[in-house]
């Protein structure tokens, strides 16, 4: 069994701006990974892509190529109550 890790790149941060006018932008990642000369999707049995915890373009692109997903969920409450008389969270 072989494992390949591919790191992200700082250039990925401009993805949403650069593809703003592309009507097919949600499928760009699918096209890049499935190109006939590379066909990365068929080389691996499983591909794990860590997405940001928001509904960004990258998250939508990954959802378009996914056969299944794993989502982590936390049940903690993050400072939902605030005492305005003392101006403190509790």
């Amino acid at each position: 069994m072989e494992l390949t890790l591919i790191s992200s790149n700082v250039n990925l941060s401009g993805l949403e701006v650069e593809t703003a006018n592309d009507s097919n932008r949600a499928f760009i990642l699918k096209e890049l990974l499935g190109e006939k000369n590379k066909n990365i999707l068929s080389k691996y049995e499983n591909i794990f892509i860590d997405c940001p915890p928001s509904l960004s373009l990258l998250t939508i692109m990954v959802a378009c190529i996914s056969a299944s997903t794993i989502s982590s969920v936390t049940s903690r409450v993050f400072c939902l109550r605030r005492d305005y008389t003392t101006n403190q969270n509790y």
Side-chain angles (χ1 to χ4, degrees), residues 32-88:
L32 289 173
L33 295 178
E35 286 180 352
K36 292 180 181 179
N37 58 347
K38 296 178 185 174
N39 207 2
I40 295 171
L41 291 174
S42 67
K43 287 183 180 179
Y44 297 97
E45 186 174 329
N46 295 301
I47 297 175
F48 295 91
I49 302 174
D50 185 22
C51 296
S54 64
L55 191 57
S56 65
L57 179 59
L58 180 60
T59 306
I60 293 170
M61 286 178 166
V62 171
C64 288
I65 64 171
S66 298
S68 62
T69 61
I70 300 172
S71 299
S72 62
V73 178
T74 182
S75 60
R76 287 187 258 168
V77 178
F78 297 106
C79 297
L80 295 177
R81 296 177 50 186
R82 184 171 185 84
D83 183 353
Y84 289 100
T85 59
T86 61
N87 204 22
Q88 293 181 0

